[in-house]
Amino acid sequence: MTLTHSGNDEWADSSTDKAVHNGLTDFGKDVVREMNRLGVIVDISHVSDKTFYDALEVSKAPPFAFAFLLPRHLRCAAQHDGPDDEGSRR
C-alpha cells in the first residue's frame, strides 16, 4: 500500500505537495506498524523526503519503492524520485 501519491493525506506528506505533517504523523507511524503486522508492503514511492526517512525508521520490514525511483540528482522532472542518499540506507 502506498503511503501517498499525488498529494498529502491525513498521515503523510507527499513529494508533490507542500509539507504539512513534517513526514509521518503519529497515526502514520501506527499505519506503518499495522501494515508490518499484517504483512502488507509499505510503498514509499511518491512520499516526501521526511516521510521516506520516517518510514525507514518505523518499518520493521524493508519498504518498497518502484524500480523507476531514482536519486533526485538523476531525475528528469519526475516527482516520484527519492532522496539522493536512499541507496545507502538499510
Side-chain angles (χ1 to χ4, degrees):
M1 179 175 95
T2 189
L3 296 177
T4 67
H5 193 256
S6 60
N8 298 337
D9 52 35
E10 293 83 20
W11 58 80
D13 291 326
S14 171
S15 65
T16 58
D17 207 348
K18 182 179 178 183
V20 294
H21 305 299
N22 192 30
L24 284 175
T25 65
D26 289 340
F27 177 69
K29 292 173 184 178
D30 289 342
V31 168
V32 170
R33 289 183 195 105
E34 183 65 5
M35 291 170 69
N36 287 168
R37 188 185 74 76
L38 295 171
V40 176
I41 295 171
V42 178
D43 182 356
I44 54 173
S45 302
H46 308 285
V47 301
S48 70
D49 290 3
K50 182 68 166 83
T51 302
F52 175 93
Y53 292 116
D54 287 351
L56 287 179
E57 179 88 20
V58 172
S59 186
K60 299 294 184 203
F64 172 81
F66 282 113
F68 58 62
L69 189 70
L70 295 171
R72 192 166 285 118
H73 70 279
L74 296 176
R75 76 170 154 177
C76 54
Q79 291 296 319
H80 48 256
D81 297 329
D84 289 337
D85 67 344
E86 71 182 32
S88 64
R89 306 289 282 211
R90 286 217 178 208

